[in-house]
Amino acid sequence: MSVSSTNGKAPNVTFTLNGATVVARGDETILQAADRHGVEIPRLCYKDGYRPDGNCRVCMVEIEGERVLAPSCCRLPAEGMKVASTSARAKSSQTLVAELLLGDMPGQGASPYKRDSELDRWAAWLGVTAPRFPQRSQPAPDMSHPAMSVNLDACIQCGRCVRACREEQVNDVIGFAGRGDHSKIVFDLDDPMGASTCVACGECVQACPTGALMPANNVGLVEPDKKVDSACPYCGVGCLLTYNVKDNKILYVEGRNGPSNHSRLCVKGRFGFDYVHNPQRLTKPLIRRDGVPKSVALIDPDDVDKYFREATWDEALDLAAGKLRAIRDDDGPQALAGFGSAKGSNEEAYLVQKLVRTGFKTNNVDHCTRLCHASSVAALLEDVGSGAVSNQVSDVAFADVAIVIGSNPTINHPVAATFMKNAAKAGTKIILMDPRRSDLARHATYFLQFNGDTDVALLNGLMHVIVAEGLANEAFIRERTENYAALKEMVADYSPEKVAPITGIPADIIREVARLYATANAAIIFWGMGISQHVHGTDNARCLISLALLTGQIGRPGTGLHPLRGQNNVQGASDMGLIPMMYADYKRVDSEDARHKFEALWDMPLDSKPGLTVTEIMTAAHDGVIRGLYIMGENPAMSDPNVHHAREAMVKLEHVVVQEIFFTETASYADVILPATAFPEKTGTFTNTDRRVQLGRQAIDPPGDARQDWWIVQEIARRIGLDWNYSGPADVFEEIRKATPSMAGITWERLEREGSCTYPLEHEGDPGEPTIFIEAFPRKGGRGLFMPAKYTHADEMPDAEYPFIFTTGRQLEHWHTGSMTRRASVLDALEPDPVISVHPDDLTRLGLAPGDPLTLESRRGKITGYARADRGMQRGTFFMPFVYNEAAANLLTNDAVDPFGKIPEFKFCAVRASVGDWVGAAI
Amino acid sequence: MAEGRVAGRAVAERDFAAVLAQVKPEAERLMALYPEKRSALLPMLHAFQNVEGWLSPEAMAEAGRMLSVPLSVVESTASFYTLFFRRPIGRYMLQVCRNLSCRMNGADDVMAYFRERLGVGHLQTTDDGTFSYEEVECLAACDRAPSMQVNLEFVYDLTPEKIDELIAAMKAGTYEVAPLPQTAMPARDWHVGQDTGRKSPGGQDVSHPNAPGGMGDPSGIDLIERLARSPYPIEARPTQERLVREGAERLKHAPHNGEVEH
């Protein structure tokens, strides 16, 4: 029954549909061919892109010479076949199905839950009005979930939600239970949706044809004024979506068929949008009141009036820029620094770094890439010459083997994870390596729960096996790499037997995994912050690169290296040169050629000294070297390691300008606060983890007197003496094309038309290159570099005083420091409180039950959160998301950094644990 | 689970850890049996039900966890089979067939009568804990419709009188049936009392379909000839329309008398 994809290679088929000759593509069903030729056939259980199931039987057609009718949604036409979708027999069958289904709807009529119910549409099309059949029993509504309403009285059991949940998103929460007319849609063990393991991706809501599953609060009954095609503001996957807007309010969000998401979204993208309407939005410029000193304590956003007063834009901008200018002129450019944001657009990132480089006249500009993939980028630039991914996420479908290491994609990149799960179901062998067992483990062929901090030992062990067993790709090594001898010498020392006790992974498993990866036709590596956020993060990434080079698993579809990017534009912000040592396109500021190029472009002399990084800027502020800081959309008062130190540093600053949408923790330390625009309020380009440059379009107007970020940056630039006259994002993008050769071929018009372009795309009209390194690496000589790495351990190891390991990360419902997601009603309802994940055995050891307060203390700070039992944790380890300001995980983390990427060690520090007393309230 | 009353009966507080310990050896044996762990789902659910007497949510979750099967798949599987009881059950588990053949032969009346006599509905248990009642999909006993199972043993040709007798005997404790839980596969050599009684017309005097000359005999006799050997003349075989008509007629003449005239 299933339609096997033949990649369009099957020959076309000519058949007759309702008397007309029709040509179907080789892999097209009768229904799809009919659609393409404008012939309407009713359908309910069929959904474009989903596996046709053929269960509703409303698409039945008559095929000449066949005894029974056929479901056109899962029947391929044959040459010369004569098909009738409108014959009396076909019509009568279609009509009866519609009548029976309509008879089961509430009131036997139109769906009360959805304006555009597909059943209503097709029933009307077929002329069905009053069903003659009795109604089946009507299940009670289930309103247990904050994001979705379940009204199974409108369910026609087409199974689209089951396929959505099991086959598309592979969350396996929805099932068909019972038999006969007792059969019904269930969540888990027939639990209320809100009590089930549902991750609220909402794919089922998007799939439901009748409104039985809908976004909560009946928004499906409201007619939007407009639909705006845009992108998701959260992670680096780069899902495209559509905002449905009424009266300048976002009603609901739908997934759009983007290249990176195939209409899929996750809970944040689909239900996490109403932060933009939160009453705490900043709507007026604010200036710190005279005589109100700064202190380390955070300011409650509800108490802002005590500390700040409202000001006009002119006054605020004059003060913000005037003070920056004065510090520059009095103390020198090195006393200033700027933070941009990976959540801003490429245009904003470009303007911020240009402002700092040409206006502040320093390279002290950085953003949160320093806290996420700086070490990966350092290793990639060093060894393969390009900091971006070599292959796109969707390549996992072409891979025989996929290594996923130090990454929890079902939480952090949920839609990317769906493609990995799809691939696993189709036969790709997933090797998951992580100290913490995540949901992906269920789909993995191998799950290596190695001891945290031992990545280099494990990866060297794999390479040892590959070299020792003659599985290295000698031809690839000879023709396309250098420095192999050094790697060989290094890994010789890492036999599986030696590595096993270090990593906790048996030697035999290390051998099996090494063989599997090395001998695969195509094998890809995905990694996340578990690799990068260590003091040996660059070494970790070097090992992964060496693994790919050693086996030649790079430069082809289904192979390669993919550091999964965390933020929607962390790739783009780095591409734009929002980093202290590089201009746009990763041209080093200390390279004379590059500097001359940008001096010519910007018509002004530039500083040749690389600037300070995020953490260095904080230290310099602490030491009084940096005196003025401009922060656009970053929240270092939550995101920096050893965050108390960062907060102290900001208190010491003479002048802090914060450009934000909310009164963030960082705003507590501001002198001037400039109200900016949220994602749906602006237009701009954003570059996802796949190197896809995508267009986000403005859907609503900003609240109050909040202004466009590019405009604010330009006004500051003008006030410190720059002659800027950009007319808008498209104008800035034109300059970006000049500054960034790898994006030079992308035009604004093409982005408006296609929505998404993959770079490198150097010349207008090029298709873009999804796979790079096909023939050479963009290094001198074109060869990849083996950079051997020695196993070292974390900066701070557990000891008798602090015996536990503490590690941090994200959780599905929340985003980074929570400034957006804790103000999004659904997300906050799903995860309202600070939780610390603990192995159940450790809970027992500590004398705690799940939900009890637990206090953790490191050498740097102390926090209390609620203990959550998690069998995926290793014993002796605690995990905590860093989103909660009432228990900020970063008060505990260690600010020791990797020497190359300068990335802090968020993934490993030592703590002690005690029974907690009470958990504070969110500020 | 801490509730003191389950299915109307006071029960001791359950200790699932103890259940788990008891099931563990069998669970480990089952998991080792199959190359794919998930293949062990059905026997695993039986193993839990054999110990607990019913299939608790904890048991289903644990089975799913042990076999890496999602909860929704465990639920879909368990809810498909009438042999799994997903709530604690009474002394007698009454499962009345609600499928097509039985319904055409009066199962609606049978179900209505049971509900009235027992005072409970589908998936419910009487307060005294004697009866659990379910309306289930096809029990594969169409030839003796309407039919049911009591503690997984068949009872055929249900009539109000027969139902009264059943209930009376069960209440008196004289009804002969093995007690549940007995969800290990029911024995294949069922002894069904009064099985020599008159069968419904379709089954009367028809040789076994796979016996020589039977409907399924592949010995080369063509269909017409086989039909000719049937006790019914070809033209007299009941048409679908007639069966529907007669079924509707019978439903009108409740109480149902269990006998079929022809």
Side-chain angles (χ1 to χ4, degrees):
Chain A
M1 289 274 258
S2 75
V3 180
S4 60
S5 169
T6 51
N7 297 327
K9 279 176 196 152
N12 288 349
V13 174
T14 306
F15 71 106
T16 308
L17 179 61
N18 299 335
T21 301
V22 163
V23 180
R25 296 186 189 127
D27 54 357
E28 254 179 357
T29 60
I30 294 173
L31 184 82
Q32 288 164 333
D35 274 353
R36 218 162 37 76
H37 288 85
V39 177
E40 283 198 300
I41 301 177
R43 81 289 306 268
L44 289 166
C45 74
Y46 172 84
K47 180 172 162 58
D48 263 343
Y50 282 28
R51 176 182 58 78
D53 201 39
N55 70 59
C56 79
R57 316 311 264 189
V58 80
C59 71
M60 300 305 272
V61 293
E62 193 170 4
I63 297 173
E64 193 176 287
E66 295 193 4
R67 186 176 59 86
V68 294
L69 301 179
S72 59
C73 70
C74 47
R75 182 69 185 270
L76 297 178
E79 195 64 34
M81 187 184 263
K82 289 191 169 58
V83 180
S85 68
T86 51
S87 68
R89 195 172 159 217
K91 263 282 170 57
S92 117
S93 177
Q94 296 164 4
T95 308
L96 184 66
V97 168
E99 185 182 353
L100 283 162
L101 292 175
L102 199 64
D104 282 343
M105 294 303 275
Q108 299 205 320
S111 166
Y113 310 116
K114 193 176 188 181
R115 273 186 317 107
D116 46 358
S117 158
E118 291 174 40
L119 175 59
D120 296 347
R121 192 210 149 190
W122 291 114
W125 191 85
L126 289 162
V128 176
T129 47
R132 294 164 291 169
F133 305 102
Q135 199 173 32
R136 79 184 142 98
S137 62
Q138 301 277 287
D142 169 4
M143 299 295 153
S144 58
H145 200 283
M148 290 169 274
S149 57
V150 183
N151 287 291
L152 291 183
D153 53 353
C155 174
I156 56 168
Q157 311 199 330
C158 63
R160 270 158 59 161
C161 58
V162 180
R163 276 172 282 157
C165 194
R166 289 193 177 178
E167 297 176 20
E168 291 291 306
Q169 295 260 357
V170 205
N171 291 322
D172 295 325
V173 176
I174 302 187
F176 245 132
R179 283 168 73 186
D181 75 355
H182 291 148
S183 62
K184 64 166 185 170
I185 295 299
V186 293
F187 304 94
D188 287 347
L189 300 175
D190 200 5
D191 296 318
M193 187 191 226
S196 73
T197 58
C198 170
V199 294
C201 68
E203 184 83 18
C204 57
V205 162
Q206 187 159 302
C208 181
T210 60
L213 297 165
M214 279 303 278
N217 305 323
N218 280 331
V219 293
L221 298 175
V222 184
E223 187 170 3
D225 308 330
K226 59 175 177 178
K227 287 172 171 277
V228 180
D229 285 347
S230 191
C232 176
Y234 289 105
C235 81
V237 174
C239 300
L240 299 189
L241 50 73
T242 301
Y243 288 114
N244 290 270
V245 179
K246 185 177 173 64
D247 300 335
N248 206 36
K249 287 267 187 310
I250 299 173
L251 287 173
Y252 57 96
V253 167
E254 290 168 306
R256 191 153 65 89
N257 195 2
S260 295
N261 69 314
H262 295 194
S263 303
R264 302 171 190 178
L265 293 175
C266 76
V267 60
K268 291 189 287 290
R270 193 183 304 277
F271 298 119
F273 56 82
D274 69 354
Y275 69 95
V276 296
H277 303 310
N278 190 292
Q280 286 189 347
R281 276 295 297 275
L282 296 172
T283 56
K284 284 268 199 290
L286 299 174
I287 292 177
R288 183 172 284 269
R289 288 184 188 280
D290 288 335
V292 178
K294 295 178 192 173
S295 83
V296 176
L298 298 178
I299 296 173
D300 188 321
D302 292 334
D303 289 341
V304 170
D305 274 356
K306 286 185 204 156
Y307 302 86
F308 291 88
R309 64 173 174 85
E310 289 183 359
T312 64
W313 269 104
D314 270 335
E315 187 191 3
L317 286 166
D318 286 345
L319 178 62
K323 262 304 215 10
L324 290 169
R325 187 176 189 156
I327 292 172
R328 181 195 67 190
D329 295 344
D330 296 348
D331 303 308
Q334 301 312 332
L336 289 181
F339 290 158
S341 171
K343 302 221 73 57
S345 66
N346 284 324
E347 295 72 31
E348 291 159 5
Y350 179 84
L351 291 184
V352 169
Q353 61 92 32
K354 186 175 171 182
L355 168 69
V356 173
R357 293 200 157 105
T358 63
F360 297 4
K361 300 185 183 297
T362 167
N363 286 310
N364 291 340
V365 61
D366 206 358
H367 73 291
C368 51
T369 187
R370 195 63 45 211
L371 310 178
C372 82
H373 263 310
S375 48
S376 308
V377 172
L380 286 164
L381 285 170
E382 169 193 87
D383 301 343
V384 292
S386 162
V389 300
S390 73
N391 294 63
Q392 300 182 324
V393 172
S394 52
D395 263 31
V396 69
F398 311 128
D400 297 332
V401 171
I403 289 180
V404 181
I405 179 165
S407 169
N408 186 355
T410 51
I411 297 296
N412 296 314
H413 306 88
V415 173
T418 66
F419 293 102
M420 297 179 193
K421 292 185 275 188
N422 294 154
K425 285 203 157 189
T428 301
K429 291 190 169 71
I430 292 189
I431 302 167
L432 180 66
M433 306 180 189
D434 204 306
R436 186 172 171 228
R437 189 181 65 233
S438 60
D439 288 348
L440 195 63
R442 189 160 65 82
H443 304 274
T445 308
Y446 285 93
F447 169 51
L448 277 53
Q449 189 164 19
F450 65 99
N451 296 330
D453 195 41
T454 64
D455 316 64
V456 170
L458 177 64
L459 296 169
N460 278 351
L462 294 174
M463 289 192 277
H464 175 98
V465 174
I466 291 168
V467 173
E469 298 192 359
L471 301 172
N473 187 334
E474 297 292 345
F476 188 92
I477 293 167
R478 198 169 52 245
E479 287 156 24
R480 298 198 49 189
T481 68
E482 54 187 307
N483 205 28
Y484 176 51
L487 179 90
K488 203 168 167 180
E489 195 188 335
M490 175 67 76
V491 301
D493 203 24
Y494 290 83
S495 70
E497 280 68 23
K498 191 172 165 188
V499 163
I502 301 172
T503 59
I505 304 299
D508 285 347
I509 299 288
I510 295 175
R511 288 205 170 80
E512 285 173 31
V513 166
R515 290 171 195 146
L516 186 61
Y517 175 79
T519 59
N521 285 324
I524 189 167
I525 301 174
F526 295 99
W527 75 90
M529 252 108 278
I531 284 292
S532 61
Q533 288 174 338
H534 287 281
V535 289
H536 46 78
T538 307
D539 278 345
N540 290 349
R542 284 171 174 154
C543 287
L544 293 173
I545 297 165
S546 294
L547 197 55
L549 295 177
L550 180 64
T551 50
Q553 298 286 18
I554 192 160
R556 289 170 283 129
T559 68
L561 298 162
H562 192 121
L564 285 154
R565 298 301 159 129
Q567 303 231 27
N568 63 335
N569 200 36
V570 71
Q571 181 66 56
S574 306
D575 294 345
M576 293 303 103
L578 197 61
I579 39 183
M581 61 294 278
M582 283 153 187
Y583 299 121
D585 231 16
Y586 304 95
K587 297 291 179 285
R588 289 199 63 92
V589 297
D590 49 10
S591 134
E592 234 166 80
D593 287 353
R595 198 172 70 251
H596 290 327
K597 177 187 160 170
F598 281 90
E599 282 177 341
L601 181 68
W602 295 335
D603 194 21
M604 128 166 5
L606 296 171
D607 186 3
S608 63
K609 186 169 149 274
L612 301 177
T613 62
V614 164
T615 42
E616 288 168 344
I617 287 169
M618 283 305 171
T619 304
H622 214 272
D623 297 345
V625 177
I626 299 273
R627 306 191 51 204
L629 183 57
Y630 166 57
I631 303 174
M632 180 248 184
E634 288 259 296
N635 194 5
M638 279 295 284
S639 62
D640 274 22
N642 188 10
V643 74
H644 187 75
H645 176 265
R647 291 175 184 178
E648 279 178 353
M650 279 187 287
V651 170
K652 292 191 173 178
L653 284 165
E654 191 179 317
H655 183 54
V656 178
V657 180
V658 171
Q659 181 174 330
E660 254 302 345
I661 59 172
F662 288 111
F663 192 88
T664 59
E665 292 77 5
T666 300
S668 300
Y669 309 103
D671 293 278
V672 184
I673 300 171
L674 305 171
T677 38
F679 184 94
E681 295 155 6
K682 63 172 80 160
T683 294
T685 64
F686 297 82
T687 306
N688 80 344
T689 189
D690 289 330
R691 290 182 267 110
R692 288 187 171 113
V693 181
Q694 311 194 113
L695 194 61
R697 289 186 183 83
Q698 182 173 354
I700 52 173
D701 298 326
D705 212 6
R707 298 283 171 92
Q708 294 289 336
D709 290 84
W710 72 265
W711 180 88
I712 302 172
V713 182
Q714 172 156 295
E715 289 303 311
I716 291 179
R718 284 176 169 170
R719 282 169 168 81
I720 59 171
L722 297 171
D723 178 27
W724 284 14
N725 283 297
Y726 296 105
S727 62
D731 198 15
V732 180
F733 189 77
E734 278 309 303
E735 187 172 319
I736 291 173
R737 292 176 63 196
K738 292 194 194 100
T740 316
S742 58
M743 286 166 60
I746 303 176
T747 64
W748 192 263
E749 294 69 34
R750 181 165 168 190
L751 282 172
E752 283 193 321
R753 194 172 63 246
E754 298 176 10
S756 175
C757 293
T758 298
Y759 79 77
L761 201 160
E762 293 181 7
H763 308 287
E764 283 185 33
D766 281 359
E769 297 172 35
T771 305
I772 54 175
F773 310 145
I774 295 172
E775 279 164 357
F777 296 100
R779 294 180 71 246
K780 210 175 264 179
R783 287 170 175 268
L785 174 70
F786 282 109
M787 199 62 177
K790 200 165 176 240
Y791 165 61
T792 54
H793 54 66
D795 179 68
E796 183 186 51
M797 296 299 281
D799 52 25
E801 213 181 332
Y802 295 92
F804 292 98
I805 298 167
F806 182 67
T807 185
T808 67
R810 291 212 298 253
Q811 65 191 139
L812 174 64
E813 291 80 2
H814 282 300
W815 183 259
H816 284 188
T817 65
S819 51
M820 291 154 69
T821 54
R822 292 202 86 189
R823 293 176 175 94
S825 54
V826 165
L827 303 177
D828 192 48
L830 289 170
E831 282 288 5
D833 292 313
V835 284
I836 302 169
S837 298
V838 192
H839 192 281
D841 291 354
D842 285 342
L843 272 185
T844 312
R845 256 167 65 191
L846 290 162
L848 292 173
D852 285 350
L854 165 64
T855 295
L856 299 182
E857 189 178 356
S858 79
R859 291 185 172 84
R860 295 156 294 278
K862 186 174 173 180
I863 55 173
T864 302
Y866 297 103
R868 175 175 287 178
D870 182 347
R871 293 196 214 203
M873 295 300 299
Q874 273 179 339
R875 289 171 189 80
T877 305
F878 300 105
F879 169 86
M880 197 180 179
F882 56 96
V883 61
Y884 299 101
N885 61 19
E886 63 271 45
N890 278 325
L891 288 168
L892 307 188
T893 50
N894 186 357
D895 49 3
V897 297
D898 171 280
F900 307 97
K902 305 286 172 68
I903 191 168
E905 192 156 58
F906 289 114
K907 286 288 185 271
F908 204 100
C909 72
V911 294
R912 58 185 172 214
S914 55
V915 175
D917 41 6
W918 62 287
V919 180
I923 296 157
Chain B
M1 207 167 82
E3 68 217 68
R5 286 178 72 79
V6 169
R9 287 177 295 168
V11 292
E13 208 165 280
R14 285 170 61 244
D15 178 359
F16 187 70
V19 172
L20 193 54
Q22 209 179 333
V23 173
K24 201 135 200 192
E26 175 67 356
E28 274 160 13
R29 187 187 73 82
L30 290 170
M31 282 194 284
L33 273 183
Y34 305 93
E36 290 275 347
K37 275 196 299 182
R38 59 186 290 132
S39 309
L41 181 56
L42 282 175
M44 187 71 80
L45 294 178
H46 278 295
F48 275 102
Q49 184 165 292
N50 284 342
V51 170
E52 284 203 273
W54 63 294
L55 206 45
S56 65
E58 295 95 324
M60 290 168 72
E62 190 59 35
R65 203 187 64 78
M66 287 193 288
L67 304 174
S68 286
V69 174
L71 295 177
S72 67
V73 176
V74 180
E75 172 72 16
S76 300
T77 308
S79 66
F80 184 85
Y81 294 101
T82 52
L83 292 170
F84 291 124
F85 312 124
R86 287 176 306 131
R87 47 193 62 67
I89 52 167
R91 193 137 47 94
Y92 299 102
M93 169 48 109
L94 314 182
Q95 295 177 308
V96 180
C97 176
R98 65 195 295 273
N99 219 297
L100 191 62
S101 306
C102 284
R103 246 163 153 158
M104 285 168 64
N105 233 10
D108 283 308
D109 299 329
V110 169
M111 291 187 283
Y113 196 66
F114 262 118
R115 284 165 178 256
E116 186 202 316
R117 282 295 321 270
L118 299 174
V120 295
H122 177 55
L123 296 179
Q124 292 177 347
T125 298
T126 55
D127 281 344
D128 62 0
T130 307
F131 302 102
S132 284
Y133 176 75
E134 283 184 8
E135 292 160 2
V136 300
E137 297 306 319
C138 187
L139 291 171
C142 307
D143 60 329
R144 301 285 299 274
S147 64
M148 70 179 294
Q149 288 188 328
V150 177
N151 287 5
L152 306 183
E153 297 287 354
F154 277 104
V155 181
Y156 300 117
D157 303 323
L158 294 170
T159 64
E161 294 74 27
K162 209 161 177 176
I163 293 170
D164 286 341
E165 281 168 29
L166 278 175
I167 291 175
M170 288 174 194
K171 279 186 170 161
T174 57
Y175 190 83
E176 270 187 42
V177 68
L180 288 173
Q182 60 95 334
T183 53
M185 293 297 283
R188 284 296 177 210
D189 54 345
W190 291 321
H191 171 74
V192 181
Q194 298 92 44
D195 205 15
T196 50
R198 202 166 157 255
K199 292 191 172 185
S200 54
Q204 196 176 48
D205 300 331
V206 177
S207 53
H208 191 278
N210 291 324
M215 295 291 281
D217 174 26
S219 58
I221 310 169
D222 73 14
L223 185 63
I224 298 296
E225 195 180 336
R226 277 190 230 160
L227 289 173
R229 290 186 191 183
S230 120
Y232 290 97
I234 291 170
E235 62 280 8
R237 288 181 71 78
T239 62
Q240 200 184 348
E241 288 76 16
R242 195 188 116 197
L243 287 173
V244 173
R245 194 174 63 242
E246 287 177 358
E249 201 61 24
R250 271 199 300 280
L251 281 177
K252 268 192 228 158
H253 295 105
H256 166 68
N257 66 8
E259 298 293 329
V260 178
E261 42 315 272
H262 55 95

